[in-house]
Amino acid sequence: MTSTTAKFIVSQVGEIPQSQAATWEDYVAACEDPSLEEARIFFYEGYLWIDMGNEGPQHARFNDLFTIIFFVWFTTKIGQTFDSLSGCVIEKPKVGAGAPDKVLYIGGDFHQWQKGEPRRINLNQSRVPDLVGEIADTTLASDLDEKKRLYAALGIPEYWVVDIKGERVLAFRLQENGKYQECEISGALEGLPIALLSETLKLLNEGNGTAAMWFAQQIGKL
């Protein structure tokens, strides 16, 4: 059941997060609230929404699959560094903030946290991730609307939405006009057909390890 923590509306596991009118200062206060330490917090266009996360096994299975996929992909790119984060808060002060399920940096110069700093990545001070992704179960509508506009405003070059129920991946590349356009080939993972990711999802009933091994076999043919 949706609950209220201080002045914040908090959506529980499996619920569709409810947005609430808020200021940037409200967002910062939510981030610094100890009772919300495990929550995923988003802020954009004067609205805040808080999701307690800790999703069920299906969400976790899909989420972990993409961590494995990133590893498998980069084992074929000898010498190319990458850094994969899950649920890490990224923000541009006064613009917007979110905690994507997946955050991927390709190459060096990725964020290095220093003791005493807020546990959030300030994109005015650190370079923008090359890719972020959301694992969408109950949140598909929001992932394709509010979060899509949020990540465009943060300047994220590529955004993936993993549709659990539809067993598909929707990928978007940021255009010069500041808006996303759906793409069939990943720009971040250069040359990767998005359709191959969707095909991989269909094997998840055999376990994400099996699905990832099948993916590894397929990219060897690219």
Side-chain angles (χ1 to χ4, degrees), residues 5-212:
T5 300
K7 61 179 179 179
F8 303 119
I9 299 172
V10 181
S11 299
Q12 301 302 309
V13 176
E15 294 181 335
I16 298 174
Q18 295 185 30
S19 61
Q20 54 196 297
T23 64
W24 179 259
E25 289 70 26
D26 292 329
Y27 155 75
V28 172
C31 288
E32 295 176 352
D33 186 330
S35 69
L36 298 176
E37 187 173 0
E38 300 299 321
R40 298 178 65 218
I41 301 174
F42 298 82
F43 175 84
Y44 187 54
E45 295 180 329
Y47 285 91
L48 178 73
W49 59 104
I50 302 173
D51 182 355
M52 283 309 295
N54 297 319
E55 294 283 356
Q58 191 72 336
H59 184 281
R61 181 172 293 114
F62 276 71
N63 201 4
D64 281 0
L65 171 65
F66 279 84
T67 299
I68 302 170
I69 279 176
F70 292 151
F71 172 77
V72 168
W73 177 262
F74 286 106
T75 59
T76 68
K77 311 295 178 183
I78 297 175
Q80 188 173 55
T81 58
F82 76 100
D83 198 35
S84 174
L85 309 173
S86 296
C88 183
V89 177
I90 56 177
E91 64 181 26
K92 278 190 176 180
K94 306 294 184 179
V95 175
D101 285 312
K102 313 306 297 181
V103 175
L104 180 67
Y105 285 92
I106 301 171
D109 194 29
F110 42 78
H111 180 75
Q112 301 289 344
W113 183 79
Q114 301 295 324
K115 186 176 181 179
E117 291 180 343
R119 291 188 297 174
R120 310 189 295 274
I121 299 177
N122 184 333
L123 300 181
N124 287 340
Q125 299 173 355
S126 298
R127 81 171 176 92
V128 173
D130 297 277
L131 167 70
V132 303
E134 292 287 359
I135 311 300
D137 189 358
T138 59
T139 61
L140 182 61
S142 174
D143 292 339
L144 290 174
D145 186 6
E146 293 95 340
K147 290 180 189 175
K148 185 179 171 185
R149 289 186 283 110
L150 164 63
Y151 296 136
L154 295 180
I156 307 299
E158 187 163 324
Y159 173 46
W160 291 1
V161 176
V162 182
D163 178 5
I164 289 179
K165 293 177 182 176
E167 295 183 329
R168 59 177 180 160
V169 176
L170 302 171
F172 304 90
R173 289 292 295 174
L174 193 62
Q175 306 300 300
E176 291 184 0
N177 63 4
K179 296 182 179 181
Y180 282 122
Q181 180 175 319
E182 190 169 357
C183 59
E184 297 182 355
I185 303 293
S186 175
L189 276 60
E190 297 179 20
L192 174 63
I194 301 303
L196 181 57
L197 296 172
S198 297
E199 291 177 44
T200 304
L201 297 185
K202 299 183 188 305
L203 298 173
L204 269 174
N205 61 339
E206 300 177 32
N208 55 20
T210 298

